[in-house]
Amino acid sequence: SQELEQSPQSLIVQEGKNLTINCTSSKTLYGLYWYKQKYGEGLIFLMMLQKGGEEKSHEKITAKLDEKKQQSSLHITASQPSHAGIYLCGAVSSSGSARQLTFGSGTQLTVLP
Amino acid sequence: EAQVTQNPRYLITVTGKKLTVTCSQNMNHEYMSWYRQDPGLGLRQIYYSMNVEVTDKGDVPEGYKVSRKEKRNFPLILESPSPNQTSLYFCASSLREGNIQYFGAGTRLSVL
């Protein structure tokens, strides 16, 4: 089965700093989702990437899927306390099948004011 | 408002006492799924449903049952809960298999 490894597991940054979270897959990615979770709450969809080399941005968050489609990165520019939470990547391992949706173990982000 | 609603949000029970966690979505989604989230293990899929009366096992189905008699509802049933089922549970739905999944707020279950 597919495995997703996220790094780092936790991250503490000062407000205003940039940061990057990585998600590496053991298999080719057919769809990669980024979600954000606040402690004890549900997951909020951020972005979905499907094509190798694809890059999407929303406000200060940018996500990329590398050309080989085995790694994705999430970059936050000028971080704010509102960015704090757990970031999870989720992946579809075979084309069109949500049956194979797998999640990484998450990256805990703390932003210090 | 489009949403996935889980109830209860918090539940403390004892070993062996049957319980049901309800999940309802108002978006006319075909696909629904249950996950559990445990520290260091991330989200793991328990069961999923492609449509009414169609359900299948995910990665960790042991000890759980589901049903999909109506499109909007997808309850998770623990016939005889055990302490290793203490976890945070999420229900999710998507328009169809492979589409973006929308998650409920979660149910925190403790089995004593």
Side-chain angles (χ1 to χ4, degrees):
Chain A
S1 63
Q2 179 170 39
E3 292 185 0
L4 291 177
E5 186 173 329
Q6 284 186 238
S7 62
Q9 290 186 336
S10 64
L11 190 55
I12 302 174
V13 299
Q14 203 70 39
E15 182 176 0
K17 295 294 186 183
N18 302 336
L19 63 103
T20 299
I21 298 169
N22 293 303
C23 176
T24 303
S25 172
S26 59
K27 297 182 179 180
T28 299
L29 295 165
Y30 289 91
L32 191 288
Y33 301 84
W34 282 102
Y35 286 86
K36 178 186 174 185
Q37 181 184 20
K38 290 194 173 181
Y39 179 74
E41 298 182 13
L43 280 69
I44 300 169
F45 171 76
L46 295 175
M47 276 172 274
M48 180 177 72
L49 305 164
Q50 290 183 298
K51 300 176 184 176
E54 186 174 9
E55 179 176 321
K56 288 187 177 178
S57 293
H58 177 67
E59 297 181 342
K60 294 185 178 180
I61 301 176
T62 301
K64 300 178 186 179
L65 182 61
D66 77 354
E67 291 287 347
K68 294 184 179 179
K69 297 175 68 177
Q70 284 199 261
Q71 186 174 50
S72 178
S73 61
L74 185 84
H75 184 78
I76 299 178
T77 304
S79 58
Q80 301 169 352
S82 61
H83 288 129
I86 301 171
Y87 289 82
L88 294 120
C89 61
V92 177
S93 62
S94 60
S95 182
S97 171
R99 162 64 181 90
Q100 300 295 326
L101 190 60
T102 305
F103 285 89
S105 57
T107 295
Q108 172 93 48
L109 173 63
T110 302
V111 181
L112 302 175
Chain B
E1 180 187 353
Q3 58 187 1
V4 179
T5 304
Q6 293 179 230
N7 280 297
R9 290 291 314 278
Y10 304 92
L11 181 59
I12 301 174
T13 189
V14 295
T15 299
K17 187 175 181 181
K18 181 180 178 180
L19 66 91
T20 299
V21 183
T22 63
C23 175
S24 180
Q25 51 91 6
N26 61 1
M27 297 171 278
N28 201 36
H29 284 173
E30 291 183 356
Y31 183 92
M32 297 185 75
S33 182
W34 275 103
Y35 298 88
R36 60 178 289 173
Q37 185 179 37
D38 302 288
L41 297 176
L43 279 163
R44 294 179 292 168
Q45 191 178 47
I46 303 171
Y47 268 94
Y48 67 98
S49 170
M50 303 276 282
N51 213 325
V52 176
E53 301 292 1
V54 181
T55 63
D56 207 346
K57 297 177 181 178
D59 295 319
V60 288
E62 293 77 22
Y64 304 95
K65 286 174 59 178
V66 292
S67 69
R68 189 87 183 275
K69 296 178 182 177
E70 304 167 282
K71 199 171 187 178
R72 63 183 293 128
N73 296 323
F74 190 45
L76 179 70
I77 304 157
L78 284 72
E79 294 273 3
S80 183
S82 61
N84 65 11
Q85 292 178 297
T86 293
S87 187
L88 179 58
Y89 291 86
F90 289 103
C91 179
S93 73
S94 63
L95 186 59
R96 291 180 193 83
E97 180 191 22
N99 292 139
I100 298 165
Q101 292 193 21
Y102 297 92
F103 285 76
T107 295
R108 189 168 292 279
L109 171 66
S110 293
V111 183
L112 305 177

